[in-house]
Amino acid sequence: MKYNKKPYFIHFYPFPKELPLHLQVFLDENDFYNTLNKRRKKYFGHRAVRFLEETNFVSREGLMIDDFMRMQITIMITQLTFGMRHYLLEYLDTIILYPTSFYSILNKTENIGEFNPRSKALVLSWKDFQKGNLHQDKGKSLGIHEITHAIHYNSIKNNNISCEIFYDTFLLLEQYLGSLEIREKIVETKILREYAYTNKFEFIAVLVEVFMESPQELKEKFPEIYNYVVQMLNFRYFED
């Protein structure tokens, strides 16, 4: 598995679970879900059920969380981890939603999203999450960005096969980016927004945003980097 940089198998569910019909309708409206074959749709639905079972959704500032909101976040997390065998993230068991931006006690700043590993919580502005989810934010996606932070942190703290592949491939990507020529080309093409250059954690989060939002552009301009992201997430569904 380590040699091929992908799990020997991804899906094995002796008793797969199904979403109730009132939640399944949200899956049926999702573009990525509808690209999957019947078997993979069943796996996706099972994982969505398991995530909902294991995750608490908490509202702040009077926001009323409904099924639509829960499912949009569940679908995004399920998609990002769909290539991983170990898809339930140990350091994520709570989703906290604010109506808009919020003051972060952790960072002492006004934020629209953050991952707090100590609290095992993903904190999001619903307005900004949905803006990215509807592709209204110039290729940026708050949800993809913050979920990638959670995946990255889990990969550092765990040693299951999915985490090892993510982290080992990330280290290989760092080595590849050691080339000044490659770095200058990335900056010159402006394929990544400037926030990516804050630190290595923000770089990978912005990179995964681009991978999910504009896979063909990334593949055409930087095929090697595209392949590193494919390997990290074992996300090969754009290739099918």
Side-chain angles (χ1 to χ4, degrees):
M1 289 185 289
K2 286 187 177 182
Y3 179 78
N4 291 314
K5 296 299 181 184
K6 62 181 180 179
Y8 184 68
F9 67 90
I10 303 171
H11 305 286
F12 177 70
Y13 318 112
F15 305 101
K17 299 187 176 187
E18 294 184 4
L19 283 165
L21 290 178
H22 72 283
L23 297 181
Q24 179 64 39
V25 295
F26 299 113
L27 271 190
D28 293 336
E29 296 170 350
N30 181 262
D31 291 340
F32 174 73
Y33 177 78
N34 284 312
T35 65
L36 302 175
N37 60 32
K38 186 176 180 180
R39 177 170 51 87
R40 284 176 172 171
K41 283 182 177 178
K42 182 180 291 187
Y43 297 155
F44 197 98
H46 171 82
R47 288 188 171 200
V49 173
R50 291 291 294 119
F51 179 79
L52 288 167
E53 289 176 344
E54 297 293 326
T55 308
N56 298 314
F57 284 80
V58 178
S59 66
R60 290 286 187 265
E61 297 181 356
L63 180 68
M64 298 295 292
I65 299 177
D66 57 22
D67 288 339
F68 173 78
M69 298 161 77
R70 275 189 288 269
M71 282 303 296
Q72 295 312 303
I73 293 169
T74 297
I75 289 169
M76 184 174 285
I77 292 179
T78 303
Q79 179 176 339
L80 277 166
T81 59
F82 198 55
M84 298 179 168
R85 183 193 303 175
H86 301 273
Y87 61 95
L88 292 173
L89 305 178
E90 181 181 337
Y91 287 88
L92 177 60
D93 59 24
T94 302
I95 307 291
I96 300 174
L97 291 180
Y98 284 82
T100 57
S101 63
F102 56 90
Y103 180 75
S104 168
I105 298 175
L106 182 67
N107 298 313
K108 312 298 184 187
T109 56
E110 190 74 11
N111 282 5
I112 60 173
E114 68 180 23
F115 169 61
N116 187 331
R118 182 175 295 180
S119 301
K120 297 186 176 182
L122 197 65
V123 189
L124 302 168
S125 153
W126 171 251
K127 176 184 176 181
D128 292 279
F129 172 88
Q130 189 63 349
K131 188 177 179 182
N133 199 35
L134 294 174
H135 312 293
Q136 297 173 343
D137 206 10
K138 298 180 181 178
K140 293 191 293 184
S141 171
L142 174 67
I144 292 172
H145 189 98
E146 298 302 334
I147 294 163
T148 301
H149 283 320
I151 293 171
H152 193 172
Y153 186 85
N154 272 264
S155 77
I156 295 170
K157 293 295 183 179
N158 287 296
N159 60 359
N160 62 58
I161 188 61
S162 297
C163 288
E164 286 191 16
I165 289 172
F166 184 98
Y167 188 66
D168 289 350
T169 307
F170 174 73
L171 295 179
L172 292 174
L173 175 59
E174 278 194 310
Q175 290 179 16
Y176 178 76
L177 294 172
S179 164
L180 179 61
E181 181 183 352
I182 296 298
R183 295 200 306 272
E184 288 179 343
K185 185 179 178 182
I186 292 171
V187 173
E188 181 183 333
T189 59
K190 297 183 179 180
I191 194 168
L192 303 180
R193 55 193 169 96
E194 288 188 7
Y195 191 61
Y197 308 113
T198 305
N199 57 52
K200 63 183 180 181
F201 299 100
E202 299 303 344
F203 183 90
I204 192 61
V206 173
L207 177 58
V208 173
E209 285 181 76
V210 174
F211 175 80
M212 286 293 178
E213 295 287 300
S214 308
Q216 278 306 121
E217 181 184 5
L218 180 63
K219 187 175 183 180
E220 289 170 7
K221 292 182 177 178
F222 297 98
E224 294 88 355
I225 295 176
Y226 173 89
N227 288 330
Y228 278 123
V229 182
V230 167
Q231 187 170 288
M232 271 192 295
L233 297 171
N234 194 36
F235 196 94
R236 304 171 194 276
Y237 305 101
F238 295 142
E239 310 299 313
D240 292 350

